[in-house]
Amino acid sequence: MRALNSFVSCCAGQRMGIFAGSGVGKSVLMSMLARYTKADVSVIGLIGERGREVQEFIEDDLGEEGLKRSVVVVATSDESALMRRQAAWLTLTLSEFFRDRGTQVLCLMDSITRFAMAQREIGLAGGEPPTTKGYTPTVFTELPKLLERAGPGPKGTGAITGLFTVLVEGDDHNEPVADAVRGILDGHIVMERAIAERGRYPAINVLKSVSRTMPGCNSDEENTLVREARAILSAYADMEEMIRLGAYRQGADPLVDRAIQLMPRLEAFLNQRKDEQTMLADGYQQLAEILAS
């Protein structure tokens, strides 16, 4: 995926969060990752999903190609809180099994928020005091125990690269679970409803997305390309309202002028169909061509 490969590169054994509201495209993003990954095996945990969506995800989004090297763990929303909680633990246990056999594992989980909700139900039933938004203290102790199981394995084994979706309630990216998960993981991918509403998928805000290990994944030339592209996107974002209103005068800022010129091509670069695949090197080559124009 061009937006992730170029702007939020993920190293093997890294743990990333995909933060988005409902209906913004998390499941399609996960299916693309599972279908096109170069990892040896994908372990996919669908925690608290709707039964209809599970079937659509497996048959339509994941498809035969994605299922060939995938293990899918499902606990639908009508399952008990204990089953939903255990499904999350089983997803990481299976990932560790394959990792210990020396394979590179891609662990995808949708979603951590529903795991937290299941733990909240269990905690409240056990008499724990509710805290922020009703979440009990054990929710915030269980989250790192679950998420820290992903990552590089011991010497001589493989690694678990973890991508965990976080369903942000009310599109509030600072709600308690999102805030706690962001502090545990090695980076975050932010998907925004406003981007999806204007028809650009995947709806990733690359300026708000961060990969903490990204500089180590890339060459100096690739990091330079990303910094230049981010500067252009940031300059356009800062002046976007004035440009739309016609209040910006061409020539006032050379960087903004260049951003206005390149923005249509950068938007097309970030837009990608779910059946479209772009290799890492090809994505950087396309980005270099855009910036050189």
Side-chain angles (χ1 to χ4, degrees), residues 61-274:
D61 293 335
L62 196 58
E64 188 178 344
E65 183 183 355
L67 279 171
K68 284 179 182 177
R69 50 180 176 176
S70 299
V71 179
V72 184
V73 180
V74 178
T76 53
S77 57
D78 60 338
E79 297 277 9
S80 68
L82 284 169
M83 285 289 287
R84 281 177 274 139
R85 178 182 182 273
Q86 288 305 108
W89 289 115
L90 178 59
T91 302
L92 268 298
T93 301
L94 288 169
S95 300
E96 289 171 336
F97 169 77
F98 288 113
R99 179 204 64 194
D100 292 344
R101 298 176 70 185
T103 57
Q104 293 293 326
V105 182
L106 176 65
C107 177
L108 302 171
M109 189 179 294
D110 186 13
S111 74
I112 288 296
T113 304
R114 293 193 176 108
F115 165 79
M117 288 177 174
Q119 184 60 49
R120 176 174 63 183
E121 286 184 45
I122 296 165
L124 290 173
E128 281 190 72
T131 56
T132 312
K133 289 200 171 181
Y135 287 106
T136 56
T138 52
V139 171
F140 302 102
T141 59
E142 291 293 305
L143 282 172
K145 289 179 184 178
L146 178 74
L147 298 172
E148 286 285 354
R149 291 174 69 175
K155 190 175 181 180
T157 63
I160 302 171
T161 303
L163 288 160
F164 306 94
T165 69
V166 180
L167 179 65
V168 291
E169 297 181 21
D171 289 337
D172 178 13
H173 287 263
N174 293 316
E175 56 96 20
V177 173
D179 203 38
V181 171
R182 194 162 43 238
I184 298 166
L185 299 177
D186 305 318
H188 49 273
I189 299 159
V190 177
M191 302 181 74
E192 288 192 348
R193 194 174 303 279
I195 296 174
E197 286 171 350
R198 68 172 187 249
R200 198 245 282 170
Y201 289 95
I204 298 169
N205 187 326
V206 295
L207 293 176
K208 292 183 179 179
S209 302
V210 174
S211 172
R212 294 190 178 98
T213 62
M214 176 177 169
C217 298
N218 299 342
S219 65
D220 292 338
E221 294 78 9
E222 289 167 346
N223 284 328
T224 301
L225 270 178
V226 173
R227 281 195 297 269
E228 185 179 350
R230 279 183 175 271
I232 290 168
L233 290 168
S234 179
Y236 188 87
D238 289 342
M239 301 297 290
E240 190 170 10
E241 287 300 320
M242 292 186 69
I243 293 166
R244 283 180 182 169
L245 293 170
Y248 174 76
R249 292 185 180 181
Q250 191 171 1
D253 187 332
L255 183 59
V256 176
D257 292 341
R258 187 161 181 244
I260 294 170
Q261 177 194 350
L262 296 180
M263 203 59 196
R265 294 188 65 188
L266 285 171
E267 279 284 316
F269 174 80
L270 294 172
N271 193 28
Q272 189 171 342
R273 301 189 313 273
K274 73 175 183 179

